[in-house]
CSV table of all heavy atoms in Angstrom, one decimal:
chain,number,residue,atom,x,y,z
A,131,GLY,N,103.5,103.0,110.9
A,131,GLY,CA,104.3,102.8,112.1
A,131,GLY,C,103.6,103.4,113.4
A,131,GLY,O,103.7,102.8,114.5
A,132,ARG,N,102.9,104.5,113.2
A,132,ARG,CA,102.3,105.2,114.4
A,132,ARG,C,101.1,104.4,114.9
A,132,ARG,O,100.8,104.5,116.0
A,132,ARG,CB,102.0,106.6,114.0
A,132,ARG,CG,103.2,107.5,113.8
A,132,ARG,CD,103.0,108.9,113.7
A,132,ARG,NE,104.2,109.6,113.2
A,132,ARG,CZ,104.3,111.0,113.1
A,132,ARG,NH1,103.3,111.7,113.5
A,132,ARG,NH2,105.3,111.5,112.6
A,133,LEU,N,100.5,103.7,114.0
A,133,LEU,CA,99.4,102.8,114.4
A,133,LEU,C,99.9,101.6,115.1
A,133,LEU,O,99.5,101.2,116.2
A,133,LEU,CB,98.5,102.3,113.2
A,133,LEU,CG,97.6,103.4,112.6
A,133,LEU,CD1,97.1,103.0,111.3
A,133,LEU,CD2,96.4,103.7,113.6
A,134,ASP,N,101.0,101.0,114.6
A,134,ASP,CA,101.7,99.9,115.3
A,134,ASP,C,102.2,100.3,116.7
A,134,ASP,O,102.1,99.6,117.6
A,134,ASP,CB,102.9,99.5,114.5
A,134,ASP,CG,102.6,98.8,113.2
A,134,ASP,OD1,101.4,98.6,112.9
A,134,ASP,OD2,103.5,98.5,112.4
A,135,ASP,N,102.6,101.6,116.8
A,135,ASP,CA,103.1,102.1,118.1
A,135,ASP,C,102.1,102.0,119.2
A,135,ASP,O,102.4,101.9,120.3
A,135,ASP,CB,103.5,103.6,117.9
A,135,ASP,CG,104.8,103.8,117.1
A,135,ASP,OD1,105.5,102.7,116.8
A,135,ASP,OD2,105.1,104.9,116.6
A,136,ILE,N,100.8,102.0,118.8
A,136,ILE,CA,99.7,102.0,119.8
A,136,ILE,C,99.0,100.6,119.7
A,136,ILE,O,97.8,100.5,120.0
A,136,ILE,CB,98.7,103.1,119.7
A,136,ILE,CG1,98.0,103.2,118.3
A,136,ILE,CG2,99.4,104.5,120.0
A,136,ILE,CD1,96.9,104.2,118.3
A,137,ASN,N,99.8,99.6,119.2
A,137,ASN,CA,99.3,98.2,119.2
A,137,ASN,C,98.1,98.0,118.3
A,137,ASN,O,97.2,97.1,118.6
A,137,ASN,CB,98.9,97.7,120.6
A,137,ASN,CG,100.2,97.6,121.5
A,137,ASN,OD1,101.2,97.1,121.0
A,137,ASN,ND2,100.2,98.1,122.7
A,138,LEU,N,98.0,98.8,117.3
A,138,LEU,CA,97.0,98.6,116.2
A,138,LEU,C,97.7,98.1,115.0
A,138,LEU,O,99.0,98.1,115.0
A,138,LEU,CB,96.2,99.9,115.9
A,138,LEU,CG,95.3,100.4,117.0
A,138,LEU,CD1,94.7,101.8,116.6
A,138,LEU,CD2,94.3,99.4,117.4
A,139,GLU,N,97.1,97.6,114.0
A,139,GLU,CA,97.7,97.0,112.8
A,139,GLU,C,97.7,98.0,111.7
A,139,GLU,O,96.8,98.1,110.9
A,139,GLU,CB,97.0,95.7,112.4
A,139,GLU,CG,97.2,94.5,113.3
A,139,GLU,CD,98.7,94.1,113.4
A,139,GLU,OE1,99.4,94.2,112.3
A,139,GLU,OE2,99.2,93.7,114.5
A,140,GLY,N,98.9,98.7,111.5
A,140,GLY,CA,99.0,99.7,110.5
A,140,GLY,C,98.7,99.1,109.1
A,140,GLY,O,98.1,99.7,108.3
A,141,LEU,N,99.2,97.9,108.9
A,141,LEU,CA,99.0,97.3,107.5
A,141,LEU,C,97.6,97.0,107.2
A,141,LEU,O,97.1,97.0,106.0
A,141,LEU,CB,99.9,96.0,107.4
A,141,LEU,CG,101.4,96.4,107.2
A,141,LEU,CD1,102.2,95.1,107.5
A,141,LEU,CD2,101.7,96.9,105.8
A,142,ASP,N,96.8,96.7,108.3
A,142,ASP,CA,95.3,96.5,108.0
A,142,ASP,C,94.7,97.7,107.4
A,142,ASP,O,93.8,97.6,106.6
A,142,ASP,CB,94.6,96.1,109.3
A,142,ASP,CG,95.0,94.7,109.8
A,142,ASP,OD1,95.6,93.9,109.0
A,142,ASP,OD2,94.6,94.3,110.9
A,143,LEU,N,95.2,98.9,107.8
A,143,LEU,CA,94.6,100.1,107.3
A,143,LEU,C,94.9,100.2,105.8
A,143,LEU,O,94.1,100.6,105.0
A,143,LEU,CB,95.1,101.3,108.0
A,143,LEU,CG,94.7,102.7,107.4
A,143,LEU,CD1,93.2,102.9,107.4
A,143,LEU,CD2,95.4,103.9,108.2
A,144,ILE,N,96.1,99.9,105.4
A,144,ILE,CA,96.5,99.9,104.0
A,144,ILE,C,95.6,99.0,103.2
A,144,ILE,O,95.1,99.3,102.1
A,144,ILE,CB,98.0,99.5,103.8
A,144,ILE,CG1,98.9,100.3,104.6
A,144,ILE,CG2,98.4,99.5,102.3
A,144,ILE,CD1,98.9,101.8,104.3
A,145,ALA,N,95.4,97.8,103.7
A,145,ALA,CA,94.5,96.8,103.0
A,145,ALA,C,93.1,97.3,102.9
A,145,ALA,O,92.4,97.2,101.9
A,145,ALA,CB,94.5,95.5,103.8
A,146,ASP,N,92.6,97.9,104.0
A,146,ASP,CA,91.2,98.5,104.0
A,146,ASP,C,91.0,99.6,102.9
A,146,ASP,O,90.1,99.6,102.2
A,146,ASP,CB,90.8,99.0,105.4
A,146,ASP,CG,90.6,97.9,106.4
A,146,ASP,OD1,90.6,96.7,106.0
A,146,ASP,OD2,90.6,98.2,107.6
A,147,ILE,N,92.0,100.5,102.9
A,147,ILE,CA,91.9,101.6,101.9
A,147,ILE,C,92.0,101.0,100.5
A,147,ILE,O,91.3,101.5,99.6
A,147,ILE,CB,93.1,102.6,102.2
A,147,ILE,CG1,92.9,103.2,103.6
A,147,ILE,CG2,93.0,103.7,101.1
A,147,ILE,CD1,94.1,104.1,104.0
A,148,ARG,N,92.9,100.1,100.3
A,148,ARG,CA,93.0,99.4,99.0
A,148,ARG,C,91.7,98.8,98.5
A,148,ARG,O,91.2,99.1,97.4
A,148,ARG,CB,94.1,98.3,99.0
A,148,ARG,CG,94.4,97.6,97.7
A,148,ARG,CD,95.1,98.4,96.7
A,148,ARG,NE,94.4,99.4,96.0
A,148,ARG,CZ,94.9,100.5,95.5
A,148,ARG,NH1,96.2,100.7,95.5
A,148,ARG,NH2,94.1,101.4,94.9
A,149,THR,N,91.0,98.2,99.4
A,149,THR,CA,89.7,97.6,99.1
A,149,THR,C,88.7,98.6,98.7
A,149,THR,O,88.0,98.6,97.7
A,149,THR,CB,89.2,96.7,100.3
A,149,THR,OG1,90.1,95.7,100.6
A,149,THR,CG2,87.8,96.1,100.0
Side-chain angles (χ1 to χ4, degrees):
R132 294 192 191 183
L133 286 167
D134 292 354
D135 290 345
I136 60 169
N137 292 318
L138 295 176
E139 285 299 325
L141 285 162
D142 286 350
L143 175 58
I144 305 297
D146 290 347
I147 297 171
R148 181 74 284 157
T149 300

